[in-house]
Amino acid sequence: MFNFNMLKTFLLNLWESFVGIPLVLCFLLYLCDLLSLLLRMLPLRFQRQVVVELEHARRYLKKFQRKLPPGPMGIPVLGHLPFIDSASPHLTLRKWSKDYGPIYRIQLGKVPVVVLSDPQLITMAFNNDNVTGKPPLYVTTGIMECCGIISVDGELWRSQRNMIIRSLDSFASRQHLVEDVGVNKLDVLLMEQVTRLLTQFDATNGHVFDVHGPVRFSVSNMMAKILFGRSYEDNDHVFNRQLDLCDKGASLVQLTNFINYFPFLRYLPDFGRPYSLLRELKTEHHEYLNDILSDRVRRSNGDSLIDLYIAEIRKDGADVHDKETGKQMSHVLADLFGGSTDTIKQTVKWALLHFMTRNDVQDKIHDELDKIVGSKRRPDFHDMGKLVYTRACIMEAQRLASVAPIGMPHWTLADMTLGGHYVAKDTMVIALQYAVHMNPNYWETPNLFIPERFLNEDKTELLKQSHFMPYSIGKRQCPGMDLADRCLYIILANILHRYNLLPPRENIEPSYRPLPGFTLSPRHYMLRAVLR
């Protein structure tokens, strides 16, 4: 005879497996009553068969439940979206990692998510070919129209990544001699842009100024010279407009954007306006990039990264004049310019913010610079291997900033086991870099700025830390991380060689609370750069 309790238990277990503790118990009980009534109308032999099948299903479900990662309670349809702080999702996710461990599961709309906060698990997952996909989020990845490098996967991602890496290697290794002194042309390019930044700092005459503008322009101009083969004047209206577009667009891209999971919401005004604005910003920015591409396709000479990328496209047999190829190229250019500029400028701003409040750290950097470089010249790339304390300070700024606190979400392409837990195909995987970088099990007093944690005992060598991952890790690790490190070093070493950085007034503690966005940016702050 059919057992009502068996059906009720099965449905409750099923609900808990995918949503959490049942919040619609009344609905389930009503459903049980209805099904029980219908089944009792069947012949006895059919009722017995249903009981057998339910028991098999219950046993399978229990086995399945034991393998799933733990996780917090969600609600139907929305999952955990309402419980995540949209301005600081990394803080909510970190709290859950403390409650549920280094691997746990949540649900964002209909998208299952596994969150990792253990460096070994992250390394294991992100080096797995089955975790190289990109989640089909309507805004975060969908707005890129399955183009570029950040928002694609499969063979397109593989081929484009290889082209970009070859282009970067070729660009960075060019050894054209400048005035027969054996200086790498890339190093000269970077030093020229740093000189322009120092000129802007000099113009403040030690007075209080907002560091955001000069850093944003100089870093973006540096990347424009590398990528586009062109640089701009400070008052260039078109270029500054593009920087505004990128900043605004970055602030609108949020993992917790409801349209990512419920695209129909874009037709509602409150949800649709930011989405429409994001599309408008993208259209205008890509018009600018398409003009640059058209120019470089006509007269590329190998002096920019995009020239080398165009050469790789041609080697691959693609027609650079084809509409679809051009669309892919413009999205790659947008990804490279936006990603590199945002990461470097935010890290520089965070580093300067920490330095200006730590005279003791600045004194040690100045001592090292004076000993290795002296006052007759500026730090260059030949000094990079010797300035270990300066570089340790940059790394500590990267750790504390965690500019990309949740990294770039990945997508599973097959069922797999991770950390003893079952992770299904079509699951979003988040590496919670912020939690790794702020974990007291890996970093003693993680909230404090302590560069020595990256140095060996006698302070002569940098330590490699497996739990330090500012550029993510694995098969989708940032391909331009070496270039980013060089840019960060040359900018910050030259600033600190020339200036004492001071807060606008004594005894004023600046805010370390970041602005909301996909990447973490410090709020606008003022400082003084006083010549040493």
Side-chain angles (χ1 to χ4, degrees), residues 48-108:
R48 288 173 179 162
Q49 184 62 34
V50 169
V51 169
V52 171
E53 295 299 330
L54 278 174
E55 179 60 21
H56 286 315
R58 186 187 66 80
R59 289 177 180 175
Y60 173 79
L61 185 58
K62 284 295 183 184
K63 182 180 177 182
F64 177 70
Q65 279 182 301
R66 285 195 295 270
K67 290 184 177 180
L68 286 175
M73 178 182 67
I75 62 175
V77 183
L78 298 178
H80 297 82
L81 277 171
F83 308 112
I84 297 177
D85 181 354
S86 60
S88 303
H90 60 287
L91 297 181
T92 305
L93 298 180
R94 186 194 181 200
K95 179 183 179 301
W96 285 339
S97 73
K98 292 179 179 179
D99 295 337
Y100 297 99
I103 175 171
Y104 66 89
R105 63 186 173 95
I106 57 175
Q107 191 88 7
L108 301 181

Side-chain angles (χ1 to χ4, degrees), residues 131-144:
V131 196
T132 57
K134 292 304 294 181
L137 305 181
Y138 194 84
V139 178
T140 308
T141 56
I143 200 168
M144 300 307 286

Side-chain angles (χ1 to χ4, degrees), residues 352-365:
L352 297 179
L353 179 62
H354 287 291
F355 293 157
M356 81 171 181
T357 59
R358 291 291 302 273
N359 290 330
D360 58 326
V361 170
Q362 285 194 74
D363 288 343
K364 292 178 183 178
I365 295 175

